Amino acid sequence: MDFDLQRMAIMGLALAAGAIVKGATGMGLPLIALPVLTTFFGLQHSVGIMAITQVLTNSMQMWQFREVRQDARMRFLPLFLLAGGVGVVLGTWLLTALPERALVFSLGVLLLGYFVLKISRPHLAVGPVLARRAGPFAGFGSGVLQGATGISAPIGVTFIHAMALDRNAHLFAVSAMFLTLGLVQFRALVLSGIMQPQWIIEALLAMVPILLFMPVGQAPAGKLSRKAFDLMILIFLGLMGVKMVAGV
């Protein structure tokens, strides 16, 4: 196989795999696809492409699950998202002095700690009142992490998962978080001069396998019970924790 065709095939498979996980859980696209894209394009180039795809895919998912936007459980979102946007802006400045490996390892340990806590105490949940009070802190932490490492899920998704929402509400909240942080990050990339015009075209091409394979993940996940969906998200968070601790 020609090298260019082989490279395109590998990138397509990575995007397809990330899209399936994204469709099923509402997250996971950059976590799976970004390392592969970075191998071929470099980190800045890959982050630029994924920033655009994140905005597009999460806009789609927010619209798909928009019926829950007026739900009382979503009252935590405005301050959560506002604080997250501030966190993205401040993230790089606040965390440039921290060793990246130490930060990633610590976050992995926190994820595994949450995994163990939920397994041992499955009925533990963050209620609506606590969510509104703690939401800005979790949102700010998610934004800081997004600005520093490009990944916000260890804090943001863990907090939203702890609220024990049903699938539609969970996916709406997670998509709103990723969309908000992605928009702030995209603007920062443009203003800093990092984003290049041709990356937008490449991101649109990347959307082809993403759009084809997201429904593959959505179809079976949509038939899961709330308990099964909750367990699926918990397992994904646990695997993410193992990956971060192991450094693979």
Side-chain angles (χ1 to χ4, degrees):
M1 181 183 292
D2 180 83
F3 175 74
D4 287 337
L5 286 177
Q6 185 178 28
R7 183 173 70 168
M8 292 295 291
I10 294 172
M11 290 189 294
L13 288 172
L15 289 165
I20 292 172
V21 175
K22 171 75 173 172
T25 67
M27 59 182 179
L29 176 56
L31 191 69
I32 293 173
L34 189 59
V36 178
L37 295 182
T38 300
T39 301
F40 296 105
F41 290 120
L43 183 59
Q44 286 190 352
H45 192 162
S46 301
V47 167
I49 292 174
M50 294 309 301
I52 298 169
T53 61
Q54 281 288 86
V55 169
L56 295 174
T57 55
N58 287 293
S59 296
M60 292 163 48
Q61 282 199 317
M62 274 194 70
W63 177 256
Q64 182 179 358
F65 300 105
R66 64 191 181 280
E67 74 278 358
V68 302
R69 66 186 184 278
Q70 301 297 336
D71 194 303
R73 297 168 298 175
M74 297 295 106
R75 290 176 183 170
F76 81 99
L77 266 178
L79 289 179
F80 176 88
L81 297 176
L82 178 63
V86 174
V88 172
V89 176
L90 297 178
T92 302
W93 180 74
L94 289 172
L95 294 178
T96 48
L98 294 178
E100 181 179 348
R101 178 62 195 135
L103 175 64
V104 172
F105 180 85
S106 299
L107 289 168
V109 171
L110 287 175
L111 273 179
L112 291 177
Y114 175 74
F115 178 83
V116 172
L117 181 64
K118 283 292 290 184
I119 291 295
S120 60
R121 300 181 63 183
H123 300 295
L124 183 70
V126 174
V129 175
L130 180 57
R132 288 197 294 273
R133 292 176 179 173
F137 299 100
F140 181 77
S142 302
V144 169
L145 188 59
Q146 178 76 26
T149 68
I151 300 174
S152 58
I155 295 177
V157 175
T158 301
F159 178 77
I160 293 170
H161 180 266
M163 294 176 63
L165 302 171
D166 59 51
R167 178 178 183 267
N168 287 4
H170 174 95
L171 290 176
F172 179 84
V174 167
S175 297
M177 179 189 75
F178 286 141
L179 175 60
T180 301
L181 300 184
L183 285 171
V184 176
Q185 186 179 39
F186 176 77
R187 182 173 177 81
L189 289 170
V190 171
L191 292 176
S192 66
I194 293 175
M195 181 66 70
Q196 302 299 316
Q198 68 268 24
W199 298 357
I200 299 175
I201 298 174
E202 291 167 354
L204 294 177
L205 291 174
M207 287 297 296
V208 174
I210 292 172
L211 290 175
L212 287 174
F213 284 91
M214 273 184 64
V216 176
Q218 288 173 344
K223 300 175 183 178
L224 294 175
S225 66
R226 174 175 171 174
K227 183 177 180 180
F229 178 77
D230 183 70
L231 179 61
M232 181 175 66
I233 299 295
L234 182 61
I235 291 173
F236 189 81
L237 289 173
L239 291 173
M240 189 189 305
V242 171
K243 182 178 185 296
M244 296 174 80
V245 169
V248 296

